[in-house]
Amino acid sequence: MTQYTVPRGTRDILPEETTLWQFVEQKAREVFALYNFREIRTPVFEHTELFLRGIGENTDIISKEMYTFQDRKGRNLTLRPEGTAAVVRAYLESNRRNQEPLSKLWYQGPMFRYERPQAGRYRQFHQIGCEVLGAGNAYQDTEVIAMAQHFFTALGLKDLEVHINSVGCKICRPVIKERLKSFLGDNLDNLCEDCRKRFETNPLRILDCKNPKCNDFFVGLPDISSVLCADCKSHFHDVQDYLNILQIKFKVNPRLVRGLDYYTKTVFEVISGQLGAQNAVCGGGRYDNLVQELGGPALPAVGFAFGLERVVLIMQNQNITVPDARPYILLAPLGENACGRAAVFAEALRHSGVPAEIDVSAKGLGAKLKSANKLGVAYVYILGDDELLEKCGQLKNMLTGAQEKVAFTDFAARLQKNYQQDRGEK
Ligand code: AMP
């Protein structure tokens, strides 16, 4: 028989892990709400043109990583490789600017990039991200960094570093590129193939090269910050001031540039020492030209996205556990006659908010208690023929081993009370 497997670069997230995912998603919802962000949901695929225009043709995403296809009517569509372009499209299409001068939006969902899979890098991966549209002030850059930091702290993650840089704007970026090119030009033959390509198409990205061979030639590289125009310089200065005011630790990393072309001024990453080569958990920055680039007004914006796979990986590496929602009680009918009765009890408990499981198998009591232990339930309610006659089951406390008779008429109310007490509810 054929054994089917998941496509390369994708993975199943199994129940043992989804608990962590749900915890991360819930924390994001809570923390983002504290900063007045509201959720937006956009389609998983968009017109290809949106990404070509938004992300930039000389980026890796556009040149080699998109999942593009034609639908039955010959439309060119692409599975979204990132969230920002789609959020901006939706923002413009829904005329949100007319309703609010400043939009603070967040999103979550799968993204698709045809990358070489490795630990922490997948072809289908999941991001949670946020975008602030309509704010050019340096405070806003800092606020999203603060929110990212707040969120990671709320998850209990340790040993993360915030790296920031400025990649300039339309005015100073060409000067930065020229400086880089004239510095690296003499050593072009010594650089890796990717860098040589980028030298022509996207020289800033050369800074991102992790190849140790290339790194030897980067020593003495001109410092981007010295080439920034006055506006970008003062913006970068203000962002650092705000970060200091909020006591957020950061490092200025002059080699930090991001893989997407739309960034202007501030870029930042949250880095973990526990992720190997793919050490960026979260990346973002300012993109003051994108809204206009996509047909809207000249509107400054800033945002970030983090990858859930990488966050969950760090949580596992740091042994961060979260409570797993398990049934509170196992109904253990012994014999066919008791099954119907137990089913009614199980359903009544569930309707009153108590998570209940039932074991209607033909197994004996010993085996049922064993599976109750495995499930981690607090109680087992045993119903055999005698109990049916007496209308009174045996309630076993799995923690103490104590067992007592509880009448059918009292059972549901008693369990509900115990459950609420155990959860610390009144
Ligand atoms: P980007 O959209 O490239 O700025 O990436 C933002 C974040 O998404 C990164 O810091 C990662 O956490 C995550 N990420 C990006 N690409 C992948 C991938 N191929 N697999 C898993 N996570 C990814």
Side-chain angles (χ1 to χ4, degrees), residues 221-406:
L221 214 61
D223 188 357
I224 293 186
S225 63
S226 65
V227 193
L228 295 175
C229 66
D231 182 36
C232 288
K233 243 183 212 160
S234 95
H235 187 93
F236 195 36
H237 188 265
D238 290 349
V239 170
Q240 295 179 58
D241 266 358
Y242 273 122
L243 286 169
N244 286 325
I245 290 170
L246 295 180
Q247 298 187 341
I248 294 171
K249 288 206 182 87
F250 64 93
K251 273 191 187 157
V252 175
N253 174 358
R255 293 261 313 265
L256 176 65
V257 288
R258 312 244 38 255
L260 299 107
D261 257 3
Y262 49 62
Y263 287 113
T264 53
K265 295 183 176 165
T266 319
V267 289
F268 72 94
E269 274 182 355
V270 180
I271 306 285
S272 162
Q274 293 185 324
L275 285 177
Q278 301 304 313
N279 64 355
V281 195
C282 172
R286 177 161 281 290
Y287 49 95
D288 287 347
N289 304 324
L290 183 63
V291 181
Q292 196 169 27
E293 206 51 51
L294 293 179
L299 206 66
V302 59
F304 69 70
F306 67 82
L308 273 110
E309 282 79 1
R310 293 189 194 174
V311 168
V312 168
L313 202 64
I314 303 176
M315 289 175 81
Q316 288 167 332
N317 287 344
Q318 297 187 351
N319 294 322
I320 297 174
T321 52
V322 299
D324 199 356
R326 306 299 300 155
Y328 185 65
I329 179 165
L330 178 75
L331 281 299
L334 302 172
E336 266 175 41
N337 292 339
C339 283
R341 206 24 151 144
V344 172
F345 280 140
E347 202 54 14
L349 287 172
R350 292 161 180 162
H351 278 272
S352 64
V354 181
E357 182 54 293
I358 177 168
D359 184 348
V360 293
S361 71
K363 287 184 219 150
L365 181 60
K368 290 195 181 187
L369 288 177
K370 227 182 194 172
S371 53
N373 258 328
K374 218 169 157 194
L375 272 177
V377 294
Y379 291 97
V380 178
Y381 196 46
I382 305 157
L383 300 167
D385 287 339
D386 292 349
E387 284 78 16
L388 279 186
L389 277 177
E390 280 183 48
K391 294 193 174 22
C392 195
Q394 302 272 354
L395 186 66
K396 189 174 178 68
N397 181 324
M398 296 302 284
L399 200 63
T400 62
Q403 197 165 305
E404 60 176 308
K405 284 186 173 183
V406 176

Side-chain angles (χ1 to χ4, degrees), residues 76 114 126 128 130 132 145 154 235 276 286 307 316 378 396 418 421:
N76 264 321
Y114 193 83
H126 298 77
I128 293 184
C130 72
V132 184
I145 296 173
H235 187 93
R286 177 161 281 290
Q316 288 167 332
K396 189 174 178 68
N418 286 7
Q421 268 171 0

Side-chain angles (χ1 to χ4, degrees), residues 113 115 120-122 125 127 258 260 280-283 305 307 310:
R113 295 182 196 171
E115 293 196 85
R121 188 160 76 188
Y122 301 95
F125 59 99
Q127 284 187 337
R258 312 244 38 255
L260 299 107
V281 195
C282 172
R310 293 189 194 174

